[in-house]
């Protein structure tokens, strides 16, 4: 009898692979002193004598400022020190090792002399090009998010230093600005009802349209830190030229608006905006560009003299000409002086008010001009981000504007396993005081084997309390040296604290704003996430906001965020389990800003609006983002089947 054939069923291998967030940054390029022999200096091949005189080449790469290339050069006869080369701009192109610039006239790089060695310090060219752009600008934030601002600055220098933009989750815009006060019992135009009745234009009581124009002109002059004398002159000019009207006695596009300005000063459209017209009038042209040579001069020079009452010159003469010419000039002066007093609250019957200005991106502050490099740093920090240049990879360097949290979620460039790892050339020092956590650690590594540039992720394993992902903060590497010094930094939830008044007003995608409670909920979740606590069953329950047992579980994590927001719990309260969130917490249904999904076994929070695409969860069951178990801010989506949606009223 024939044997029955047995079919063996083998389990099929799953084709599903764990997805990790892609690396945001390139692998670090190797540095070799031989690159100097094939380099170009100001577009020409480097002189052979200069190549021979270079004794070393070092790179200091960082996320805290510009990357710096250091060239020590043997110059015993001071030949190079006296050369015209050092008096101008130096551009050194090292190919894949980067393009570098020194221009001391723009505060880029520098030099030092020590015995027979002349040392040159050059910036990476992208940072240097951004540093060179200083013309003041203001851009509506409704048109640009932080990534758009970075692209705007990059386009200005595209021909000189092309760069790619890396800005994960770019939908942030700056908060609405609040300036200090002049105000209760006031109208929306900045004057109290009694004060508004006393404002006159050419002897006649000001209309509401004229009051709005006056308010806009004085607010703009105040923002430019103009003194009373300049404000009076601006009102006199608008009174004389247009009777404080957008059309005035318009004769054409070359003479239009409140200040009857020509095209060399401002566009015809902007001339009909009292604030923009005032700014162009006081600064000498729209955004201080274009116009005659006299009007191109910097506003600080003019306001430095005008606000102090010194004799005006150039643009100052144009501003003050209305005080000495034209019929009725003296009466207009008295009229303008009284109007300024009424607006600032120095006359009887007037009051103060709080002025809110729409969110805008700026280059240039009330303290004076500012470069794109500094402006982008300031705006990024305002949103809790960093800006830095990741050196060349493929076609161009990368201009990165990213939060520590988005950086740390990227796939690690390197994993260092243990204090005796082969990539280390010395045992690192670990020193922790009391209950504090380690914030930085310095490694000495094999230079040729280290692939992670500043801003990339390095994961430490079997380092005890230093275990986990770290951000590469700085790398110091010398050509010809076997070692490199690497500084790692624990990720932080913010680079620089925002003012308390602006956190609640942070603007969001689609023009919506997050409430202060919703922002507090997310900020607490982000702060816990940054500390990389492990998952610990019943962790975080003993006192809402504090870990217990070394970490958090799902309801302890969500309870901590709710306590920070004031949603049903207070800091220090005991946190119930996930069943309480499913049946008793908040109200049924999805929220506008946050939804709590819960059942008897698990609870997590899903964000909406500004927080769209982000969740607070201890589970790694997500399509993207942090894959580790534990309390983390997650990216991507997960199934809500079997969960009940709850929300806090109004959120």
């Amino acid at each position: 009898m024939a044997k029955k054939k047995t079919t063996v069923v083998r389990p099929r291998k799953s084709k599903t692979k764990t997805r990790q967030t892609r690396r945001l940054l390139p692998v670090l390029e190797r540095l070799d002193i031989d690159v100097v022999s094939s380099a170009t200096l100001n577009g020409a091949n480097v002189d052979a004598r200069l190549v021979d005189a270079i004794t070393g080449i070092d790179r200091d790469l960082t996320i805290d400022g510009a990357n710096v290339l250091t060239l020590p050069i043997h110059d015993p006869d001071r030949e190079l020190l006296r050369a015209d080369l050092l008096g101008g701009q130096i551009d050194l192109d090292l190919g894949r090792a980067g393009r570098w610039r020194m221009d001391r006239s723009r505060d880029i790089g520098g030099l030092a002399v020590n015995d027979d060695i002349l040392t040159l310090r050059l910036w990476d060219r992208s940072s240097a090009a951004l540093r060179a752009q200083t013309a003041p600008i203001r851009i509506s934030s409704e048109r640009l998010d932080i990534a758009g601002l970075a692209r705007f600055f990059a386009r200005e220098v595209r021909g000189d230093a092309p760069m790619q933009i890396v800005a994960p989750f770019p939908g942030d815009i700056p908060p609405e600005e609040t300036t200090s006060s002049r105000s209760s019992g006031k109208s929306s135009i900045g004057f109290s009802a009694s004060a508004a009745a006393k404002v006159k234009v050419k002897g006649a009581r000001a209309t509401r349209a004229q009051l709005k124009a006056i308010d806009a002109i004085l607010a703009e002059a105040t923002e430019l830190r103009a003194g009373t004398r300049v404000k009076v002159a601006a009102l006199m000019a608008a009174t004389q030229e247009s009777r404080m009207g957008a059309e005035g006695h318009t004769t054409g596009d070359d003479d239009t608006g409140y200040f009857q300005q020509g095209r060399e000063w401002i566009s015809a459209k902007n001339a009909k905006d009292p604030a923009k017209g005032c700014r162009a009038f006081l600064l000498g042209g729209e955004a201080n560009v274009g116009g005659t040579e006299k009007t191109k001069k910097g506003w600080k020079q003019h306001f430095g003299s005008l606000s102090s009452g010194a004799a005006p010159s150039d643009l100052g003469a144009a501003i003050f000409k209305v005080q000495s010419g034209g019929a009725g000039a003296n009466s207009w002066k008295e009229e303008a002086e009284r109007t300024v007093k009424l607006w600032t609250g120095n006359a009887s019957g007037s009051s103060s008010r709080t002025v809110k200005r729409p969110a805008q991106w700026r280059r240039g502050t009330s303290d004076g001009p500012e470069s794109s490099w500094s402006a982008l740093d300031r705006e990024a920090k305002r949103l809790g981000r960093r800006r830095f240049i990741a050196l060349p990879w493929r076609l161009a360097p990368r201009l990165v504007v990213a939060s520590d949290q988005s950086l740390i979620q990227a796939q690690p460039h390197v994993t260092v396993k243990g204090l005796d790892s082969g990539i280390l050339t010395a045992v690192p020092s670990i020193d922790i005081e009391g209950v504090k956590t380690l914030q930085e650690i310095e490694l000495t590594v094999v230079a040729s084997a280290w692939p992670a540039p500043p801003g990339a992720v390095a994961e430490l394993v079997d380092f005890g309390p230093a275990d986990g992902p770290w951000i590469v903060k700085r790398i110091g590497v010398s050509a010809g040296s076997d070692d490199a010094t690497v500084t790692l930094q624990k990720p932080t939830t913010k680079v620089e604290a925002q003012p308390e008044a602006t956190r609640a007003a942070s603007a969001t995608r689609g023009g919506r704003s997050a409430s202060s409670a919703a922002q507090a909920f997310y900020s607490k979740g982000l702060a816990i996430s940054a500390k990389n606590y492990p998952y610990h069953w019943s962790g975080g329950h003993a006192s809402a906001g504090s870990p217990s047992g070394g970490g958090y579980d799902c309801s302890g994590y969500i309870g901590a965020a709710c306590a920070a927001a004031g949603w049903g719990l207070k800091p220090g309260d005991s946190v119930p389990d996930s069943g309480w969130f499913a049946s008793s917490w908040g109200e049924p249904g999805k929220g506008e800003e946050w939804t709590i999904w819960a059942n008897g076994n698990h609870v997590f929070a899903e964000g909406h609006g500004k927080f769209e695409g982000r969740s607070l969860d201890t589970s790694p069951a997500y399509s993207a983002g942090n894959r580790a178990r534990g309390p983390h801010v997650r990216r991507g989506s997960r199934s809500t089947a079997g969960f009940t949606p709850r929300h806090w009223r109004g959120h």
Side-chain angles (χ1 to χ4, degrees):
M1 182 175 179
K3 290 184 178 180
K4 186 176 181 180
K5 187 176 180 180
T6 302
T7 302
V8 178
V9 179
R10 301 183 184 275
R12 296 179 62 186
K13 292 184 179 180
S14 174
K15 294 183 178 180
T16 304
K17 294 183 178 180
T18 300
R19 294 179 56 189
Q20 290 183 299
T21 304
R22 64 181 177 85
R23 290 175 178 167
L24 300 175
L25 305 177
V27 171
L28 188 66
E29 294 288 347
R30 184 177 178 181
L31 179 66
D32 194 317
I33 197 168
D34 290 341
V35 300
V36 178
S37 60
S38 59
T40 60
L41 182 64
N42 290 349
N45 292 335
V46 180
D47 186 273
R49 292 184 303 160
L50 180 57
V51 172
D52 292 339
I54 295 175
T55 62
I57 179 170
D58 303 336
R59 284 188 305 188
D60 183 20
L61 312 179
T62 179
I63 57 176
D64 286 343
N67 302 308
V68 177
L69 180 80
T70 303
L71 288 176
I73 303 172
H74 188 236
D75 187 29
D77 298 326
R78 308 291 189 260
E79 182 181 356
L80 182 58
L81 182 63
R82 295 192 300 269
D84 294 338
L85 180 68
L86 299 186
Q89 180 175 290
I90 296 176
D91 281 321
L92 181 66
D93 189 344
L94 298 179
R96 292 182 69 88
R99 299 163 69 196
W100 305 86
R101 173 171 292 170
M102 187 182 86
D103 187 350
R104 293 185 298 114
S105 68
R106 295 184 180 273
D107 195 22
I108 296 168
L111 58 87
V113 178
N114 187 6
D115 292 333
D116 292 343
I117 300 298
L118 170 67
T119 302
L120 300 183
R121 296 185 297 272
L122 297 89
W123 280 25
D124 70 86
R125 190 159 163 180
S126 298
S127 301
L130 292 171
R131 180 66 168 266
Q133 298 295 320
T134 58
I137 59 170
R138 291 190 301 172
I139 309 171
S140 168
S141 62
E142 295 177 358
R143 295 189 295 112
L144 294 177
D145 53 28
I146 187 69
L149 180 67
R151 291 189 185 94
F152 178 88
F153 286 152
R155 280 198 300 270
E156 289 186 313
V157 300
R158 181 166 46 194
D160 182 36
M163 61 190 86
Q164 300 175 1
I165 306 300
V166 177
F169 317 114
D172 291 323
I173 61 176
E176 195 175 55
E177 297 177 5
T178 303
T179 62
S180 65
S181 70
R182 295 179 304 272
S183 154
S184 58
K186 78 287 181 186
S187 70
S188 61
I189 51 180
F191 295 97
S192 67
S194 58
K198 298 177 183 179
V199 177
K200 295 184 178 181
V201 177
K202 286 194 174 182
R205 180 174 174 175
T207 64
R208 184 172 181 80
Q210 289 173 327
L211 287 169
K212 285 186 174 181
I214 291 169
D215 179 54
I217 289 170
L218 292 178
E220 193 68 26
T222 299
E223 184 173 315
L224 292 174
R225 302 181 72 182
T228 299
R229 189 180 179 198
V230 175
K231 293 176 183 176
V232 169
L235 291 185
M236 290 177 65
T239 299
Q240 181 195 35
E241 296 293 341
S242 68
R243 198 185 292 267
M244 211 62 69
E247 301 300 334
H249 41 266
T250 301
T251 58
D253 284 347
D254 290 332
D255 185 20
T256 188
Y258 287 88
F259 292 85
Q260 294 290 284
Q261 295 156 314
R263 286 182 177 175
E264 67 173 6
W265 287 74
I266 192 172
S267 68
K269 177 182 177 181
N270 287 344
K272 295 180 180 181
D273 181 308
K276 292 178 180 178
C278 176
R279 188 177 187 85
F281 182 67
L282 296 182
L283 298 191
E286 191 167 17
N288 201 24
V289 295
T292 65
E293 287 304 314
K294 285 186 177 181
T295 64
K296 287 181 181 179
K297 296 191 175 182
W299 71 271
K300 195 170 184 180
Q301 170 191 343
H302 299 295
F303 275 103
S305 60
L306 295 176
S307 60
S308 64
S313 60
D314 294 336
L315 179 60
I319 293 176
F320 281 94
K321 68 179 182 179
V322 295
Q323 292 188 342
S324 58
N330 290 333
S331 62
W332 299 342
K333 181 180 179 182
E334 294 171 2
E335 188 177 85
E337 287 174 341
R338 181 168 179 78
T339 298
V340 171
K341 287 182 179 179
L342 289 168
W343 190 81
T344 56
N346 291 332
S348 60
S350 66
S351 61
S352 61
R353 67 166 180 157
T354 298
V355 182
K356 282 192 174 180
R357 301 197 177 285
Q360 290 183 320
W361 304 111
R362 300 168 183 266
R363 183 170 62 205
T365 68
S366 58
D367 293 326
E370 179 184 42
S371 70
S372 292
W373 180 245
S374 298
L376 191 55
D377 183 51
R378 174 177 50 77
E379 297 289 13
K381 285 180 177 177
R382 188 149 62 125
L383 297 172
R385 299 186 178 211
R386 299 181 187 274
R387 69 90 180 90
F388 59 93
I389 296 291
L391 279 182
W393 179 74
R394 295 184 181 172
L395 300 178
R398 297 183 177 188
L399 173 57
V400 183
V401 183
S403 67
D404 282 17
Q405 199 61 30
S406 60
L407 292 175
I408 209 71
Q409 288 177 356
Q411 181 182 358
H413 277 64
V414 61
T415 299
V416 184
K417 296 183 178 180
L419 299 175
D420 55 352
S421 170
I423 201 172
L424 301 176
T425 60
V427 177
S429 173
I430 299 177
D431 187 353
I432 305 175
E433 184 72 25
V435 297
K436 295 180 180 178
T437 57
L438 193 63
Q439 298 301 311
E440 285 192 4
I441 186 171
E442 187 173 283
L443 308 179
T444 304
V445 303
V446 178
S448 60
W450 185 263
V457 178
E459 186 171 20
L460 302 185
V461 177
D462 293 336
F463 272 64
D467 278 357
W470 294 72
I471 293 175
V472 180
K473 177 181 179 181
R474 182 181 297 272
I475 298 176
V477 56
S478 301
S481 173
D482 293 333
D483 297 344
T485 302
V486 178
T487 303
L488 304 180
Q489 182 183 64
K490 269 295 181 186
T492 177
T493 57
K494 54 192 175 184
V495 178
E496 182 178 277
Q498 294 185 39
E500 189 67 29
T502 65
R503 278 201 290 268
S506 291
T508 66
R509 295 181 179 89
R512 294 178 56 190
S513 295
S515 68
S516 57
Q519 184 63 52
F521 180 90
Y522 177 65
S523 295
K524 183 63 176 179
L526 199 60
I528 292 173
S529 178
K531 293 183 181 297
N532 291 300
Y533 288 108
Y535 178 86
H536 180 78
W537 187 80
S538 79
H541 284 258
S543 177
S546 300
S548 51
Y552 289 87
D553 67 2
C554 60
S555 46
Y557 184 33
I558 300 304
C562 288
W567 293 348
L569 292 168
K570 299 188 298 296
D573 283 355
S574 295
V575 180
D577 60 15
S578 57
W580 176 77
F581 280 100
S583 61
S584 303
W585 181 88
E587 298 184 351
K590 296 180 68 174
E592 293 185 2
E593 295 178 300
W594 287 98
T595 298
I596 304 298
W597 294 93
N599 56 27
N601 297 312
H602 188 59
V603 58
F604 66 95
E606 176 189 24
H608 313 293
K610 171 183 177 176
F611 311 103
E612 189 71 38
R614 305 174 214 190
S615 298
L616 273 57
D617 201 346
T618 56
S619 168
Y622 282 79
S623 60
N626 194 317
R627 306 293 296 179
R629 193 182 188 204
H632 286 291
V633 173
R634 312 280 176 170
R635 302 283 179 174
S637 59
R638 63 160 292 169
S639 172
T640 57
F643 288 85
T644 299
R646 309 282 295 186
H647 71 280
W648 197 252
R649 177 178 293 181
H651 303 280

